[in-house]
Amino acid sequence: MLRLLTTILRFLGMLGTSHHLPLGHQSPAIPVVEVQGFLEPARFFNDFVIPGKPVVFKGAAREFPAFSKWSDEYFLSLEGSEEWKVVYELGKKETREGGQGAISFSEYIRRYQNEDLYCVTGLPKYLRDDIPVYHSIDCPFVLSELMDDLVMWFSSGGTKSVWHFDDYENINCLIQGKKELILANRSEAELGHFLEDQAYSKVDVEAVDLERFPGFADITYFNATIEEGDCVYIPTFWSHTVKSWGRNIAINAWWEIYKTPISCPPNTATHTSWRNIKMLSDSDLGKEDEGPNDSRALSATFRTILYIDKDMRVHGALDRGVVIALWQDIRDELEIPDTANLDSLFDLIDGDRDGLLQPREIDVIRSDEVLLGLYQGAAQHSDQSKQEL
C-alpha cells in the first residue's frame, strides 16, 4: 500500500523526483519498532529473530561500563593499547576497494581524529569486560553454540557503508555518537542490484542513480535512527546502509542463523561480560592463539549456504531439486564424499518427508560430528542401493 501511494503521488507530481537522492529517500521509510531496553531472550527470538523483524532497544547500553569509561584518555591508559593490533579501513565512505591496514590501538587513537580512517576490528579481549553480554541473547544455547564474532566500529564520525547484507544475525550497540540505518526486507534483495556472488551493491548511497539502479525506486525502506546507548537488531539478509555522526563507537555481536524456537527462562544469566565467550570466527587480531572452534566450522558453512539461497530467503524453505543442484555445484566445498548419495542425504535431513528443507530441519545440524554422520549415512544408503542392483 505504501509503495502504491508513493507511485501515485509521484505520478501526480506531488512528490519530487527521487533521482540522485540519498538511498532511502526514494519513498517514505517505515520506522523500525522500538522497545525500552533489551527483551527477554525467548520473546526476542520468537517475536523478532525467527520471523526476521528488526527492532531498536532504546537505552539498552546506557548501563554498560563502556558507556561512561570509553574516552580516548581511558583507551590510552590501558596497558594493552600499545601492543594490541586493530584493523582499520582507508576511507570513511566504504567502497570495499579502499584497502585495510593494521596498527596498534594506541596509534589509531592518536590518528583517527585527523585522518580518513575507520577502525573495524574484533573487539580487543582486554576491553570485553566493559561490555556485558547483551541480555536478549544471554542464553546458554546461544552463547555456547551460535556466537560468531564481536566487532568494534570506531571513528570520528561521517562514515557511510555500502548497501549490503550479512549472513549472520546482528545486534549493534552504540556506545557513543549517532547512527542512521536504512534497511530493506530480505524478500526485496533482488531489487538491490547486488554484484554477482557478492553481498553488496555498487550503488552510490549518497546519490542513487535510478537509471543505472532502477530497483531502488521500488524498495520499501525501513529507518532506524539510534542515539548513544541504543542498540538495534538487524535480521540476517536484510539489506542496509549505515551513516554515523560524531565520535562514534559501536559494538556488534554476530551469531549464526537459527530459526527454531528456543526456550530460555528469564533471569538465568551466568555471564557478565564477553571475555570468556568463545566465538567461531573471532576477528580480534590480538587475541590468544586459540584458533576457531573447528568442531562446528564445516557444519556452520553447510547451514549458511542453505540459508543464503534466494528461495530460503524469500519463501522460507528449499525444495529437493534446488538443494540437490546446490550440493552438486559445491560438493567439494562442503566436503561431501563422492560415495554419498545426495538424494539420500536430503532424505536424512528432511525429517517430515515433505520434500522441503525447513529451518528447523537445517538447525538440527549443530556440529561437524552430526554433519559427518549424515554424510556417512548417505554413503551407506548408496552402498546398499548398489548391492540391491
Side-chain angles (χ1 to χ4, degrees):
M1 179 62 72
L2 179 64
R3 183 183 300 167
L4 176 61
L5 177 60
T6 301
T7 302
I8 293 172
L9 292 175
R10 186 174 293 124
F11 177 77
L12 294 175
M14 297 174 68
L15 287 179
T17 177
S18 57
H19 193 44
H20 291 299
L21 290 177
L23 197 153
H25 290 253
Q26 288 65 41
S27 63
I30 301 171
V32 170
V33 171
E34 296 182 351
V35 298
Q36 289 299 316
F38 284 123
L39 298 173
E40 293 299 325
R43 181 185 171 194
F44 170 57
F45 271 82
N46 295 333
D47 291 357
F48 291 94
V49 177
I50 292 174
K53 296 165 53 179
V55 60
V56 172
F57 305 101
K58 295 295 293 182
R62 284 189 167 271
E63 300 302 318
F64 292 1
F67 189 77
S68 59
K69 293 168 65 174
W70 278 9
S71 65
D72 289 352
E73 294 73 23
Y74 172 75
F75 287 146
L76 291 173
S77 73
L78 299 175
E79 183 177 348
S81 295
E82 292 295 335
E83 65 268 11
W84 217 275
K85 297 293 184 182
V86 297
V87 177
Y88 66 90
E89 296 182 356
L90 297 168
K92 294 181 184 178
K93 183 176 180 180
E94 184 186 20
T95 64
R96 306 215 171 176
E97 298 173 357
Q100 295 180 325
I103 54 176
S104 71
F105 191 39
S106 61
E107 183 179 350
Y108 179 81
I109 296 297
R110 296 184 182 101
R111 292 171 53 183
Y112 81 101
Q113 291 282 13
N114 301 310
E115 299 183 37
D116 193 21
L117 304 177
Y118 189 11
C119 179
V120 182
T121 194
L123 181 63
K125 283 284 198 306
Y126 67 92
L127 291 175
R128 296 189 181 189
D129 284 338
D130 292 340
I131 303 289
V133 169
Y134 304 158
H135 180 66
S136 289
I137 54 175
D138 194 355
C139 205
F141 172 73
V142 177
L143 297 179
S144 64
E145 298 290 333
L146 302 181
M147 295 312 305
D148 183 78
D149 207 355
L150 200 65
V151 179
M152 169 185 272
W153 307 77
F154 182 12
S155 75
S156 59
T159 61
K160 303 175 184 68
S161 78
V162 295
W163 185 245
H164 68 287
F165 65 80
D166 301 309
D167 55 10
Y168 291 99
E169 306 286 7
N170 178 5
I171 290 181
N172 190 308
C173 286
L174 186 59
I175 307 303
Q176 290 190 345
K178 177 181 178 180
K179 288 186 185 292
E180 180 189 50
L181 296 87
I182 301 296
L183 308 97
N185 197 302
R186 58 193 175 203
S187 63
E188 297 194 326
E190 301 308 309
L191 298 173
H193 297 273
F194 290 101
L195 298 177
E196 186 176 0
D197 298 325
Q198 299 291 330
Y200 72 99
S201 171
K202 295 285 285 185
V203 68
D204 184 347
V205 296
E206 293 184 287
V208 177
D209 184 343
L210 292 178
E211 292 181 358
R212 288 185 60 198
F213 305 101
F216 286 95
D218 296 323
I219 289 176
T220 299
Y221 295 101
F222 291 77
N223 177 287
T225 299
I226 58 174
E227 310 281 349
E228 57 186 33
D230 296 340
C231 302
V232 59
Y233 164 60
I234 306 172
T236 183
F237 303 130
W238 271 59
S239 308
H240 57 283
T241 182
V242 185
K243 295 192 298 185
S244 72
W245 291 268
R247 182 176 185 271
N248 212 275
I249 307 177
I251 306 297
N252 86 276
W254 271 321
W255 70 96
E256 297 176 36
I257 305 167
Y258 191 81
K259 296 298 185 181
T260 301
I262 66 168
S263 175
C264 186
N267 302 320
T268 59
T270 56
H271 302 88
T272 56
S273 81
W274 287 106
R275 179 183 286 271
N276 297 318
I277 305 300
K278 191 172 181 63
M279 305 285 175
L280 178 63
S281 305
D282 197 327
S283 58
D284 173 18
L285 290 186
K287 67 182 183 297
E288 296 86 349
D289 186 18
E290 56 189 18
N293 185 348
D294 291 331
S295 68
R296 56 195 177 105
L298 180 60
S299 55
T301 300
F302 186 91
R303 292 193 310 277
T304 299
I305 285 173
L306 293 174
Y307 271 121
I308 204 171
D309 187 271
K310 176 185 174 183
D311 283 358
M312 177 61 79
R313 287 186 280 120
V314 175
H315 303 298
L318 294 173
D319 67 32
R320 178 186 295 269
V322 170
V323 173
I324 298 299
L326 179 62
W327 286 342
Q328 287 174 336
D329 287 343
I330 55 173
R331 189 168 192 145
D332 290 343
E333 180 180 347
L334 295 178
E335 300 181 23
I336 301 175
D338 292 338
T339 55
N341 180 281
L342 297 183
D343 279 296
S344 298
L345 180 60
F346 185 95
D347 290 337
L348 288 171
I349 301 173
D350 181 20
D352 59 8
R353 300 293 189 269
D354 65 351
L356 298 170
L357 289 193
Q358 311 279 353
R360 65 180 181 276
E361 294 165 334
I362 297 171
D363 287 342
V364 171
I365 309 170
R366 295 303 323 149
S367 69
D368 287 9
E369 182 180 6
V370 171
L371 181 60
L372 295 177
L374 291 169
Y375 287 171
Q376 183 178 11
Q380 291 174 346
H381 186 274
S382 180
D383 290 340
Q384 291 172 359
S385 299
K386 290 179 181 177
Q387 291 173 4
E388 292 173 0
L389 293 174

